[in-house]
Amino acid sequence: MLLLAVDTATPAVTVALHDGTRVVAEESDVDARRHGELLLPAVDRVLAAAGAGSGDVTDLVVGVGPGPYTGLRVGIVTALTFGSALGVPVRGLCTLDGLAYAAGLDTPFAVATDARRKEVYWARYADARHRVGEPAVDRPADIAEAVAGLPVVGAGAALYPEAFPDAREPLHQSAAALAGLAAELLANGDGGSEVGGEVGGEGGGSRARGAFLPPRPLYLRRPDAQVPKNYKVVTPT
């Protein structure tokens, strides 16, 4: 097994390789404006560091968000393209689940990432492997009561200390954590949703060891970029 994990749902462009036992190579670069430029070179470097080629990859996992529109698509499209070219399954994982797994907490907490527009993407967790309910996007002040007394992991918590006084690291997503979570799921026989397979549901409640999702963007709201409503139409004479 050689699992390639990528995530571009946050400012971190992050890539990792997992051999089923451990992470054998990883790389992360925090740059919210250069996802498209940074991802493929990072994949090449991680493969080279592991002494592997793209043909050695047997599985792909990609963070599906929630995250901003453009950056999130870079990772998903890249993973789907690799999967199609290599003929290997592509599975999605909630980006917040990766952050929760990296936190390693065994008591209740929450994860919050920056959603821009003075909002955060967030979810609550019973522990590092069990999410409670579905991810959401809200203003920090509107959820302060819901997470009161809980540690909150992620850059969203650090941005709004008045709403999240117990902010914790890690701030950014790690493909190494995403790969570790995926490897656990696969080792326990949870193939989950993948390209070409059955599309699993996203029901609420506590999720044991996270859950694979279809490799489709989890946006939660409309994109920031909009087509102008009153633009001048120029037609040939």
Side-chain angles (χ1 to χ4, degrees):
M1 172 184 178
L2 192 63
L3 182 147
L4 174 64
V6 301
D7 198 316
T8 58
T10 72
V13 179
T14 180
V15 180
L17 278 173
H18 198 291
D19 67 1
T21 302
R22 62 186 181 90
V23 172
V24 294
E26 62 179 298
E27 182 173 320
S28 294
D29 195 345
V30 179
D31 189 331
R33 297 182 180 274
R34 300 176 63 215
H35 293 85
E37 297 174 48
L38 297 173
L39 182 57
L40 284 176
V43 171
D44 286 341
R45 288 191 295 270
V46 165
L47 286 168
S54 59
D56 298 317
V57 173
T58 61
D59 296 88
L60 280 138
V61 64
V62 60
V64 298
Y69 188 75
T70 303
L72 177 55
R73 289 191 305 165
V74 170
I76 293 175
V77 170
T78 299
L80 289 173
T81 302
F82 265 91
S84 178
L86 300 174
V88 301
V90 182
R91 299 176 176 88
L93 276 175
C94 175
T95 295
L96 302 182
D97 289 356
L99 273 161
Y101 186 83
L105 299 175
D106 58 6
T107 55
F109 67 103
V111 173
T113 61
D114 183 17
R116 305 174 186 171
R117 300 185 191 175
K118 298 182 179 180
E119 294 179 330
V120 294
Y121 298 116
W122 71 286
R124 288 188 300 158
Y125 291 81
D127 56 45
R129 291 176 174 82
H130 296 77
R131 173 156 42 87
V132 180
E134 297 301 315
V137 58
D138 290 288
R139 289 184 177 273
D142 294 340
I143 62 171
E145 185 175 343
V147 299
L150 295 179
V152 184
V153 171
L159 281 172
Y160 303 101
E162 66 284 357
F164 311 117
D166 190 3
R168 303 279 183 93
E169 293 186 345
L171 297 181
H172 299 292
Q173 173 67 312
S174 160
L178 202 70
L181 176 58
E184 282 195 12
L185 286 164
L186 292 170
N188 283 275
D190 185 356
S193 301
E194 62 184 68
V195 166
E198 294 293 327
V199 176
E202 295 188 37
S206 178
R207 294 186 174 191
R209 295 181 176 272
F212 283 122
L213 299 171
R216 297 197 296 265
L218 185 61
Y219 289 133
L220 300 188
R221 70 180 185 204
R222 296 183 65 82
D224 293 338
Q226 301 286 338
V227 175
K229 294 181 179 180
N230 299 309
Y231 59 89
K232 183 178 179 180
V233 177
V234 179
T235 55
T237 57

